[in-house]
Amino acid sequence: MEQTNSLKWVTAARALDGYRLHLTFNDGCERIFDCLPLIEKYKLFAPLRDKAVFDHFDLDGWTVCWLDGSIDIAPEHLYEMGHVA
């Protein structure tokens, strides 16, 4: 039986209105992820309330990250909780 690699990682991202991200994953799927619930619930994400900070993210080879990698979101979470674009 052949196994397929189910690991997901972000290959492209762009900020949308509000605190949403349009994400493309290694399998070609595109998702829209709303970060606002995380920003409102967890102190770790509080710096992202500043839209200029939120909009200035990087890709680290696996996922999106902010502030030199001090804030990130697991790519699996982005994939599973994101809405199909």
Side-chain angles (χ1 to χ4, degrees), residues 40-56:
E40 290 177 335
K41 186 173 183 178
Y42 299 105
K43 282 185 176 182
L44 168 69
F45 295 103
L48 303 184
R49 285 184 189 272
D50 180 337
K51 191 70 165 101
V53 173
F54 178 82
D55 288 344
H56 187 74

Side-chain angles (χ1 to χ4, degrees), residues 7-22:
L7 289 176
K8 304 288 187 248
W9 61 87
V10 179
T11 59
R14 63 184 167 90
L16 300 174
D17 61 321
Y19 294 92
R20 298 179 315 136
L21 296 172
H22 181 277

Side-chain angles (χ1 to χ4, degrees), residues 5 7 9 12 17-18 26 28-29 37-38 40 44 47-49 55 60 66-69 71 75-76 82 84:
N5 185 348
L7 289 176
W9 61 87
D17 61 321
N26 61 305
C29 287
L38 294 176
E40 290 177 335
L44 168 69
L48 303 184
R49 285 184 189 272
D55 288 344
D60 67 0
W66 294 266
L67 302 173
D68 294 323
I71 300 173
E76 300 85 1
V84 175

Side-chain angles (χ1 to χ4, degrees), residues 14 16 20-25 28-33 82-85:
R14 63 184 167 90
L16 300 174
R20 298 179 315 136
L21 296 172
H22 181 277
L23 306 163
T24 304
F25 291 85
C29 287
E30 296 182 31
R31 301 270 198 265
I32 304 295
F33 184 84
H83 300 286
V84 175

